[in-house]
Amino acid sequence: MPLFPELENLGAAMDFIDGIYEVVEHIPLFGGFSYPDIERLSAYMECFGAPAGTALLEEGQDGDWLILLLTGSIEVVKKDEQGVARPIAIAGPGSTVGEMSLIDGRKRNASCITLEPTDFAVLTRSALNSMLAGHSDLCARLLLVLLTEMTSRLRAANERLMPHIGIAAV
Amino acid sequence: MPLFPELENLGAAMDFIDGIYEVVEHIPLFGGFSYPDIERLSAYMECFGAPAGTALLEEGQDGDWLILLLTGSIEVVKKDEQGVARPIAIAGPGSTVGEMSLIDGRKRNASCITLEPTDFAVLTRSALNSMLAGHSDLCARLLLVLLTEMTSRLRAANERLMPHIGIAAV
């Protein structure tokens, strides 16, 4: 089944290299990526355009892809224990969401809803595996970016768990 | 400065390949690693032996290496907001600790104290960078293992933060 059949498919990310480079060159995490690197990376991604109010990820749903926001913005929303959707973050161009399901194949932890018209690039697990086989150097450097992002989130989660120590993650 | 100058240096992990392979072959995360893979991986690691009661990592200290436990066990300990050390986990052979500082170079989040005589292998950030340059395929596969571990910890942390939603990590 195609990804996001109801959205405008902007085509291969290769067609958006300038736009993608413009976004990621401002992200310190991607500091080591040259224009040719982004070109090679784009060969493994596909781009879409969504109107405001579109769910790019849905909490509890399957999906093993990661999203890199190119334009626009999203709200990250998670249901509380009573099942009421609660906004927990806002993210804009250059942000990635969906890493956890890309890595472990488990269900989405939260929903991501566009706040305005938003273009984004998608990296699936299958494309990541192809990159590992075809451009392992590029793949390793991308995985280091994701690990840095995950480490930052885990440190933030641990901070928040401090008052409940004894249950902190390590 | 050498790592762990006060501990018995067991030498290059290359001399412990059988032992390391015996440990990691039982870890599902390392399922894709063959004996020759472990041999190549070991070339980037060094082994040490510590008596009971040794701090392998110390909360708040610098250190950009990861530890893979080969024998024995450790207790993970973290100070609460009053500065009192609280045990938060126990880990045995095959467990890794110290990933976050390996990745982001920031201070240790918790201490790890050996509960019995314990042998362990060390992977430094510098060795990880060499592996990326020399064996990027192996490096990418190791980073996927670390990402899977970090994802699992982040999901666990998010679970624990559920009652405090609004502050959950994504």
Side-chain angles (χ1 to χ4, degrees):
Chain A
M1 202 180 82
L3 288 171
F4 304 107
E6 74 287 5
L7 294 186
E8 183 190 6
N9 186 328
L10 303 175
M14 287 295 281
D15 300 334
F16 292 85
I17 295 169
D18 287 346
I20 294 175
Y21 187 69
E22 201 174 294
V23 165
V24 304
E25 73 173 336
H26 301 297
I27 309 174
L29 272 183
F30 280 93
F33 286 72
S34 65
Y35 190 92
D37 288 335
I38 298 300
E39 211 167 357
R40 289 192 292 153
L41 193 59
S42 298
Y44 295 99
M45 302 179 86
E46 205 172 346
C47 290
F48 297 88
T54 306
L56 303 189
L57 304 179
E58 288 192 72
E59 182 176 353
Q61 296 289 298
D62 287 325
D64 63 355
W65 63 85
L66 163 155
I67 282 176
L68 170 65
L69 294 182
L70 300 177
T71 67
S73 58
I74 57 167
E75 185 167 55
V76 183
V77 173
K78 188 166 167 63
K79 289 187 184 133
D80 65 18
E81 289 175 320
Q82 282 71 47
V84 179
R86 300 275 300 269
I88 53 174
I90 286 180
S95 299
T96 55
V97 288
E99 294 89 342
M100 294 198 299
S101 298
L102 170 77
I103 295 302
D104 70 7
R106 290 177 53 205
K107 294 184 189 308
R108 301 295 187 187
N109 176 60
S111 296
C112 294
I113 319 289
T114 54
L115 293 170
E116 56 188 305
T118 295
D119 293 346
F120 59 98
V122 172
L123 176 72
T124 64
R125 179 59 190 236
S126 153
L128 181 70
N129 291 342
S130 300
M131 197 193 306
L132 202 162
H135 290 98
S136 58
D137 169 72
L138 185 71
C139 183
R141 289 160 58 208
L142 178 68
L143 294 176
L144 265 178
V145 169
L146 297 184
L147 265 171
T148 307
E149 178 62 29
M150 298 283 281
T151 297
S152 157
R153 292 185 194 180
L154 192 52
R155 286 204 190 263
N158 280 340
E159 278 295 312
R160 295 181 194 122
L161 284 167
M162 266 303 284
H164 317 281
I165 199 168
I167 57 167
V170 294
Chain B
M1 201 181 84
L3 287 171
F4 304 109
E6 74 287 5
L7 294 186
E8 183 189 6
N9 186 327
L10 304 175
M14 286 295 281
D15 300 335
F16 292 86
I17 296 170
D18 287 345
I20 295 175
Y21 187 70
E22 201 173 296
V23 166
V24 304
E25 75 173 334
H26 300 297
I27 309 175
L29 273 182
F30 280 93
F33 285 72
S34 64
Y35 189 93
D37 288 334
I38 298 300
E39 209 166 358
R40 289 192 293 153
L41 194 59
S42 298
Y44 295 97
M45 302 180 85
E46 204 171 346
C47 290
F48 298 88
T54 306
L56 303 189
L57 304 179
E58 288 192 72
E59 183 176 354
Q61 297 287 299
D62 288 325
D64 63 354
W65 63 86
L66 164 156
I67 282 176
L68 170 65
L69 294 182
L70 300 176
T71 67
S73 59
I74 57 167
E75 185 167 53
V76 182
V77 173
K78 189 166 167 62
K79 290 187 183 134
D80 65 18
E81 288 175 319
Q82 283 71 48
V84 180
R86 299 275 301 269
I88 53 176
I90 286 180
S95 299
T96 55
V97 289
E99 294 89 343
M100 295 199 297
S101 298
L102 170 77
I103 296 302
D104 70 6
R106 289 177 55 205
K107 295 185 190 306
R108 300 297 186 185
N109 177 59
S111 297
C112 294
I113 319 289
T114 54
L115 293 170
E116 56 188 305
T118 295
D119 292 346
F120 59 98
V122 172
L123 176 72
T124 65
R125 178 58 189 236
S126 153
L128 181 70
N129 292 342
S130 301
M131 197 192 307
L132 202 162
H135 290 97
S136 59
D137 169 73
L138 185 72
C139 184
R141 289 160 58 208
L142 178 67
L143 294 176
L144 264 178
V145 169
L146 298 184
L147 265 169
T148 307
E149 178 63 29
M150 298 283 282
T151 296
S152 157
R153 292 184 194 181
L154 192 52
R155 286 205 190 262
N158 280 341
E159 278 295 313
R160 294 180 194 125
L161 283 167
M162 266 302 283
H164 318 281
I165 199 169
I167 56 166
V170 293

